[in-house]
Amino acid sequence: MSEAGEASRAPSKWVFTFGAGRADGSAVDKDLLGGKGANLAEMSRLGLPVPPGFTISTEVCAAYYDLGRTLPDELKPMVDAALDDVGRITGARFGDIENPLLVSVRSGGRASMPGMMDTVLNLGLNDQTVEGLARRTSDPRFAYDTYRRFIQMYADVVLGIDHGLFEEILENYKALKGFELDPELGAEDWAEIVTRFKALVETEQERPFPQDLHEQLWGAIAAVFGSWQNARAIAYRRLHDIPDDWGTAVTIQAMVFGNRGDNSATGVVFTRNPSTGANELFGEFLLNAQGEDVVSGLRMPQPLTEAAYGASSNNKASFEAALPQAFAELKKSCAKLEKNFRDLQDIEFTVQEGELFMLQTRAGKRSTKAALKIAVDMAKEGLISREEAVLSLNADQLDQLLHPTLDPSAKMTVLAKGLPASPGASSGEIVFDADEAVHMKAQGRDVILARVETSPEDVQGMHAAVGILTTRGGMTSHAAVVARGMGRPCVVGAAAVHIDLEHGTLEAGGVQLHKGDIVTIDGSTGRIIKGRVTMREPELSEDFTTLMGWADEFRRMDIRANADTPDDARQALAFGAQGIGLCRTEHMFFEESRILALRKMILAETPEARRKALATLLPAQRQDFIALFEVMAGRPVTIRLLDPPLHEFLPHGDVAIAEVAEAMGVDVAKLKRRIGVLHEFNPMLGQRGARLLVSHPEIVEMQARAIFEAAVEAGKALHDRVIPEIMVPLVAAKAELDIVGERIAATARAVEKERETSLAFQVGTMIELPRACLMAGEIGESAEFFSFGTNDLTQTTFGLSRDDAGRFLGEYAEKGIIHHDPFTTLDEAVGELMQIAAERGREVRPDLKIGLCGEHGGDPETIVFCEKIALSYVSCSPFRVPVARLAAAQATLRSKSR
Amino acid sequence: MSEAGEASRAPSKWVFTFGAGRADGSAVDKDLLGGKGANLAEMSRLGLPVPPGFTISTEVCAAYYDLGRTLPDELKPMVDAALDDVGRITGARFGDIENPLLVSVRSGGRASMPGMMDTVLNLGLNDQTVEGLARRTSDPRFAYDTYRRFIQMYADVVLGIDHGLFEEILENYKALKGFELDPELGAEDWAEIVTRFKALVETEQERPFPQDLHEQLWGAIAAVFGSWQNARAIAYRRLHDIPDDWGTAVTIQAMVFGNRGDNSATGVVFTRNPSTGANELFGEFLLNAQGEDVVSGLRMPQPLTEAAYGASSNNKASFEAALPQAFAELKKSCAKLEKNFRDLQDIEFTVQEGELFMLQTRAGKRSTKAALKIAVDMAKEGLISREEAVLSLNADQLDQLLHPTLDPSAKMTVLAKGLPASPGASSGEIVFDADEAVHMKAQGRDVILARVETSPEDVQGMHAAVGILTTRGGMTSHAAVVARGMGRPCVVGAAAVHIDLEHGTLEAGGVQLHKGDIVTIDGSTGRIIKGRVTMREPELSEDFTTLMGWADEFRRMDIRANADTPDDARQALAFGAQGIGLCRTEHMFFEESRILALRKMILAETPEARRKALATLLPAQRQDFIALFEVMAGRPVTIRLLDPPLHEFLPHGDVAIAEVAEAMGVDVAKLKRRIGVLHEFNPMLGQRGARLLVSHPEIVEMQARAIFEAAVEAGKALHDRVIPEIMVPLVAAKAELDIVGERIAATARAVEKERETSLAFQVGTMIELPRACLMAGEIGESAEFFSFGTNDLTQTTFGLSRDDAGRFLGEYAEKGIIHHDPFTTLDEAVGELMQIAAERGREVRPDLKIGLCGEHGGDPETIVFCEKIALSYVSCSPFRVPVARLAAAQATLRSKSR
């Protein structure tokens, strides 16, 4: 530590000046100067009117902490010299009684941390210089007002004296004098306030307010560096993944004043509209005010342009009308900055007695809709390339555009919050039972299915519902995964909601709702709201289509969707999916007539009886695949054979068991015995996937036959050959795939013979166990494709059940044990296993097609990794397809630029 | 395939002759000549009296199959030449009517496959040569008897005609003529039988029995090669892991006859007693008989030596007495062979008219007890080195010596068979409830605890029982693991046993037993036997101690034991453990008073209430550790902090819940709610290990305090410092270990202060998740030691719950998907993860201590791998410690010799 400290104190340039059309640094020096300092230097270089100043680099911040919160001695002469430079440019001098230089001292890190660190304004005033300022400006009221503002801020930031105590003095004084508003106070009043403020400081810290301007300056610099480690800043960094060792820079800049009369002003401008993306100046300003006044909200800001004035009900003059010359200069500056930075800029400016000063510029935050429009417009304007346009967007945020959202202006009673598991919002009648959901949907009613947790039995009901709410489970619980796949809004793990099935009630936030009451859920925020809320329907703009088209040009990986039904498949195609990467056949079995046949199969005692039961499923299953193949019209379709353990298809609980036993005409005891035999301690690690298929070859035969017969039928309808990709789940050893694969091949031969045709198909495997990754060299000999099942691979690599992890993953994130939910963003160890599998698989089969079909397929960070290991495709929920398309294009572009 | 076929047919030496003191090959050529052929060559080289012959190499077997079961043409001249050589040595000639050469045609692979492949004897006879043989031997009866034997065998092996049809003809003839036994038949009778046999062959195959001797010879050679792929042989190879492509050799050798009168004989001799290991010839013989007669068991064999004659009730003369000259020569040959092969030999010999011939030698199978004695004796005799003595033993078999066994001569009614989960046998009263087992044990009664499956709640009852029986679960189910740890005989997964708890009965094999009835279980074979069976207690011989001492000298790795109690620890020390590698603290909590406190902790609503409940556990837990440290007297002790999920400590089922609620004075509903909250879908992948310790730091504090206070106390008593090794289970990320480690360190500081002492201790982690292996480079920065938890690592690497795998692992083994139970012998993928972890851990901490403490620690094959990756120690059940000591020594020796 001390060595590193020494290193960072090695002789170096620590202070960087800017102003008068020159600067030591530029916009590229963000690491050293922080965002604010670098952009001030850049603006100065561009010849924009920037008050002169200098930036103390982030290296000094490191030195400050290495020295135990002490500023290095070598800094002083550098700061003094820079201060002299500023004086030379402004004509004023720090501490000059005749023409005192006033400065601001501001923080500025590599990454924006708005409001997290400290600032001191108007520094350079004491009992002498305040008089000089009064004389120089011929405005004693301004001088004393500025002095009292300084004392208050300095005392708060540097001396740690409660801000409220100063407010109290001011309020008392105003009450005493019968004043209502600050403007009513005159120079004498402010001078009196200054006296009282100084007295307060002396009482609080047992020494007078510092009159030594250099003491003030160094105190402020140290305070700003010190604020890097305040609790707020630390928490913010943790939340935003900003490293603690980056540190902040400190920028010291000559003050300019927007409160010097009606030809002075202060304001904020965006070079384009950050809400709509329209190419028009957008912002607001206040005449005769300082920046704080805009923020404080005491005065109503005025519109910037005449156009905005016309469009609004604001009856105050626009900046364009009030200060036309300054506006013209601002407009020019905005154009210059946007051209220079090639991005939307968010700019702070001040006009001091008619003269425009630029105080800050940075990339402007914008809505997703605006981001799209700006990117497309700028590319069309030739300001940026199409590649840059594609790269400029946050892929994750695209999701916002694809779902209905709550009207933000609507009033609402939020009952509770859960995890935002599947985006979008919906309103409907509460229902607690999946069958009832189906029933009510058939009557044309909108229902929200509320369950403690869901299981595959509930899938039909989930499909029937307009939204799903669970009180248990995490972001990758059954409910969450299925809902995302269906594009249904979903809130999970709402622990504060209590469902009482017996009485058919739901209680949350002290409110009790009954079955049939209306509730609204917001799957984008996790909110559960009483009653109906106005919605905004999603609308995909032309800009969206344009930009996605560009993305598709640049993208190397294919994007497929996880889709189990023709509806899902149609949705996926609408969102631009190029195929189906995962069709989970088990979801097809939960229709009433089918699950009965499946249960008969499970209860059968012999392979023959099992075959007979399965035969009744064949026509329906075949029809499923015909429909799917027809919708996909020749695009690749990967069908996964039955994966879940058989007990998932049997009823749970005495009542359900009795019902099913009656419906099936079997003995309750027999059914219970079979359920008992099939019970597993850890179903996730039990007899499922390949293990089930190896021991129940008749299931493989039925499913393969349905697939092949459907391929023949659909092929005829499409006048094109359908080449299904059949996927064997949960393989741990090559021999499992060989055994199941041989059954598939034998079925193909039989169908070929019966139909007098030849079939083309591929047999591949999910790679979803650590062992499968390590044995990929063997498995690859038998697999025509790999598809990473990253959900299960994450579960097994971590030894972590996604259904049980909800209980502690929150605490783990809080304690910094994990930085991302590994079920959302691929974990590095899981990634390493995938990389090993890809390498070993390709070693034995260089043209091996490798995809990913877990929940991670729609996560941009994961997609970057998939590009790195050169996967052929990723497959995700239909509603994530646009996100994946964009993220994949960005990944390709970034990998090329590396 | 065809290319490989061509390659194996490349010009090569395919036929290897032996005889008359010379041979083309020797004992080292087993791969080419098979075991039998190589050893015949070796014996010939040693100048022993071996009938001359030649071996067709295993390469020809490959060629035979590559050519579609056809012998290559190039073979014929080679065989003809070799046959001429044999003729030259014997003075006879194949097909010579005056002095016909008779040969045997036998299989012989690289690995012994006794009785699995075919043999043809007495080949070389037809209607002409049989007359020549009769004349030459002046013994027409012998000639025709030999001819009929040949026809019968040839028809069976080469022509595929049912053996029984020939027996029928013979029996019918004997009945017709009033004969009882074969010796009563004369030459004419046998000539008549030959006629009838030939007629049968002609009827069966619609052509006469082949008179062309070369046709006979080639038919026999092809038949022997063909028998490599018969069903029996294939099944045997699968069972014994013998590769299908090894193939068999064929040895053709001049016949000698032990049935040429009373100066002829045939027999088997072991160079030492294979049962006791005593250095004495051991074997039996028959006068005037062929080898088949010994095997057929129709005649009672006679003792070999005078000493054996004296010791037995057999009143027939010994070989030593009957044929003293042949005996003397045999004795000399035995000595020569043992000296040459430096191992116990199992030899077949024949005496033809007074002349001894050696027909086969091979390493003799022996009992474990004999193996020990022979190894130690041979080393003492200077025949082999101590290293060779250690290497000569099968470590796995050592286990037999350490447990009581059933008297093999006892009569018993076997009711059912389960899996042999923990070796040893015991008898006791059946009891179905763990508490009752404890209760009955307190009354001095021996009980066998019979359960469907066991859970941690049953541990006290398991300890109280003399044996454990479960009807579900596999070799690594809870019952199996705990029983092995305790050294209790245990049979698991006995699916044919039905337990009816309601009526207190157990039904198996059609027998119904009631609670209190006596049953015997044999944990070495899985047998469940009605009533009591006589036992043999284990007795560790002086040879055992000597050999284990030698092993300890050669061994690099330490051997520790998994021991949870002072009793376990004492047992481990008695078996030579050097420390405790795993003390599972949860097993300490199941005593009645403790589990109550633990349950109070689990039901507590606040950390404070949890602390209070835990405080009542502290004294008992401290006492546990004091006792353990004192028994171990300064040897290393690794204590694992609480691992299982909390719900394992709560009752299951309404009755138990009601009981516990009453005992605790809490509301049933509250208890049920808490059980509901703690329920996990996949407990194996849930909130346990480090995850539990991170969220319940008060558990860490209590356990660490108990450990440290015990270390202080025990240190005083031992006048030595106790340095506990504290192990954090189920770590997936460094931060988990850091958080728990900091709690441990803080507790240490507190205890140091209170006791005014300084503590020494280590904090390390189980490596039992794939992620922990891959992240070992980070985890190693914080861990002072790693201990591989291979049970859980296998479960997660395979995505396979050991409790659920029983249902299909059997089928997987049958189908060749797995070759070993991965929970017994380390899987290669799990091994690769361990290797990665070891490398990465050592990269950041070169002196990292790494051990293994899973069930695999007692498996010799796994130990070889542990030596390869240079682990510091393996830790296993106390009863496996001797096995591990020996296996580790062998691993060291083998790694050196590589």
Side-chain angles (χ1 to χ4, degrees), chain A residues 453 472 647 676-688 690-692 694-697 730 732-733 735-736 739 769-772 774-775 778 795-801 803-805 807-808 811-812 815-817 827-830 832-833 836 840, chain B residues 453 472 647 676-688 690-692 694-697 730 732-733 735-736 739 769-772 774-775 778 795-801 803-805 807-808 811-812 815-817 827-830 832-833 836 840:
Chain A
E453 63 217 2
R472 283 180 60 175
H647 54 77
V677 166
L678 288 177
H679 168 263
E680 292 184 314
F681 298 101
N682 294 287
M684 166 62 212
L685 306 176
Q687 189 172 19
R688 43 177 287 244
R691 297 161 193 170
L692 189 67
V694 163
S695 57
H696 293 70
L730 211 77
E736 295 173 307
I739 288 170
L769 297 173
R771 191 176 198 275
L774 295 167
M775 304 305 286
E778 285 185 8
Q795 296 195 79
T796 45
T797 304
F798 271 83
L800 189 64
S801 153
D803 289 323
D804 299 312
R807 191 172 302 157
F808 56 92
E811 189 183 352
Y812 264 41
K815 291 189 168 152
I817 298 172
D827 173 67
E828 60 180 307
V830 177
E832 184 177 357
L833 284 171
I836 289 171
R840 293 184 184 178
Chain B
E453 63 218 1
R472 283 179 59 175
H647 54 77
V677 166
L678 287 177
H679 168 262
E680 292 185 313
F681 298 101
N682 295 287
M684 166 61 211
L685 306 176
Q687 189 171 20
R688 43 176 288 244
R691 297 162 193 169
L692 189 67
V694 163
S695 57
H696 293 69
L730 211 77
E736 297 173 306
I739 288 170
L769 297 173
R771 190 175 198 276
L774 295 167
M775 304 305 286
E778 285 185 10
Q795 296 196 76
T796 47
T797 303
F798 271 83
L800 190 63
S801 154
D803 289 322
D804 300 312
R807 190 172 304 157
F808 54 92
E811 189 183 352
Y812 264 41
K815 291 189 168 153
I817 298 173
D827 172 66
E828 58 180 309
V830 177
E832 185 177 356
L833 284 171
I836 289 172
R840 294 184 183 179

Side-chain angles (χ1 to χ4, degrees), chain A residues 179-194:
Chain A
F179 295 136
E180 289 251 327
L181 297 172
D182 288 4
E184 298 168 33
L185 277 72
E188 296 75 23
D189 296 314
W190 288 122
E192 176 55 29
I193 296 288
V194 162

Side-chain angles (χ1 to χ4, degrees), chain B residues 424-738:
Chain B
S426 55
S427 306
E429 298 178 53
I430 304 171
V431 57
F432 300 107
D433 181 85
D435 290 341
E436 202 162 353
V438 174
H439 183 68
M440 288 167 73
K441 151 98 177 179
Q443 301 174 342
R445 292 152 77 181
D446 285 344
V447 296
I448 302 280
L449 178 63
R451 307 272 302 160
V452 173
E453 63 218 1
T454 65
S455 73
E457 296 176 59
D458 299 319
V459 170
Q460 294 295 323
M462 293 168 80
H463 203 269
V466 298
I468 297 136
L469 165 65
T470 73
T471 60
R472 283 179 59 175
M475 290 293 285
T476 47
S477 61
H478 177 265
V481 173
V482 172
R484 280 197 292 275
M486 293 174 173
R488 290 288 175 285
C490 177
V491 173
V492 299
V497 173
H498 297 288
I499 291 178
D500 181 342
L501 285 178
E502 208 174 314
H503 302 96
T505 60
L506 176 157
E507 189 260 314
V511 175
Q512 196 180 58
L513 299 176
H514 293 80
K515 196 177 75 178
D517 286 351
I518 298 288
V519 76
T520 297
I521 64 168
D522 181 359
S524 307
T525 63
R527 285 177 300 181
I528 300 145
I529 303 148
K530 194 180 160 185
R532 206 175 286 281
V533 182
T534 327
M535 304 278 175
R536 285 189 184 167
E537 280 306 310
E539 222 175 281
L540 294 184
S541 65
E542 205 178 301
D543 295 324
F544 176 86
T545 311
T546 305
L547 196 109
M548 293 308 290
W550 295 345
D552 290 346
E553 282 171 33
F554 304 139
R555 178 158 58 80
R556 186 195 58 77
M557 279 191 289
D558 283 354
I559 306 299
R560 298 193 188 181
N562 300 345
D564 306 334
T565 65
D567 279 353
D568 291 349
R570 265 184 288 269
Q571 183 67 67
L573 284 182
F575 279 138
Q578 294 163 287
I580 292 179
L582 176 62
C583 166
R584 288 158 292 213
T585 51
E586 54 270 23
H587 290 169
M588 299 171 165
F589 291 131
F590 282 97
E591 254 180 38
E592 210 164 320
S593 63
R594 298 188 187 186
I595 199 161
L596 188 72
L598 196 70
R599 284 171 175 162
K600 277 190 181 153
M601 188 279 285
I602 296 170
L603 293 182
E605 312 262 337
T606 64
E608 288 63 41
R610 280 208 290 270
R611 272 204 184 85
K612 214 176 129 196
L614 283 165
T616 66
L617 279 171
L618 177 67
Q621 176 99 103
R622 181 175 52 220
Q623 202 46 51
D624 290 334
F625 294 136
I626 290 174
L628 207 57
F629 290 145
E630 288 186 359
V631 170
M632 294 309 290
R635 293 179 188 83
V637 176
T638 306
I639 296 168
R640 180 175 75 182
L641 300 182
L642 196 68
D643 183 47
L646 294 181
H647 54 77
E648 280 204 9
F649 298 99
L650 295 180
H652 297 103
D654 285 344
V655 177
I657 290 172
E659 277 176 21
V660 168
E662 206 195 320
M664 295 186 65
V666 299
D667 187 38
V668 169
K670 183 187 167 179
L671 182 57
K672 276 196 177 174
R673 200 155 50 235
R674 188 82 184 121
I675 291 170
V677 166
L678 287 177
H679 168 262
E680 292 185 313
F681 298 101
N682 295 287
M684 166 61 211
L685 306 176
Q687 189 171 20
R688 43 176 288 244
R691 297 162 193 169
L692 189 67
L693 301 171
V694 163
S695 57
H696 293 69
E698 56 282 353
I699 296 178
V700 178
E701 283 165 17
M702 186 282 279
Q703 292 202 296
R705 176 170 285 276
I707 292 168
F708 291 135
E709 291 180 354
V712 172
E713 294 298 317
K716 278 184 200 156
L718 294 166
H719 303 292
D720 195 3
R721 199 171 209 196
V722 172
I723 306 179
E725 299 174 358
I726 302 177
M727 185 152 73
V728 181
L730 211 77
V731 161
K734 174 176 179 286
E736 297 173 306
L737 182 58
D738 288 339

Side-chain angles (χ1 to χ4, degrees), chain A residues 454-530:
Chain A
T454 65
S455 74
E457 295 177 59
D458 298 319
V459 170
Q460 295 295 322
M462 294 169 79
H463 203 269
V466 298
I468 296 136
L469 164 65
T470 73
T471 59
R472 283 180 60 175
M475 290 293 285
T476 46
S477 61
H478 177 265
V481 172
V482 173
R484 280 197 293 275
M486 293 173 172
R488 291 287 175 286
C490 177
V491 174
V492 298
V497 174
H498 296 288
I499 291 177
D500 182 341
L501 284 178
E502 207 175 314
H503 301 97
T505 60
L506 176 156
E507 189 259 312
V511 176
Q512 196 180 57
L513 299 175
H514 292 80
K515 196 177 77 177
D517 287 350
I518 298 290
V519 76
T520 298
I521 63 167
D522 181 359
S524 307
T525 62
R527 284 177 300 181
I528 299 144
I529 302 149
K530 194 181 159 185

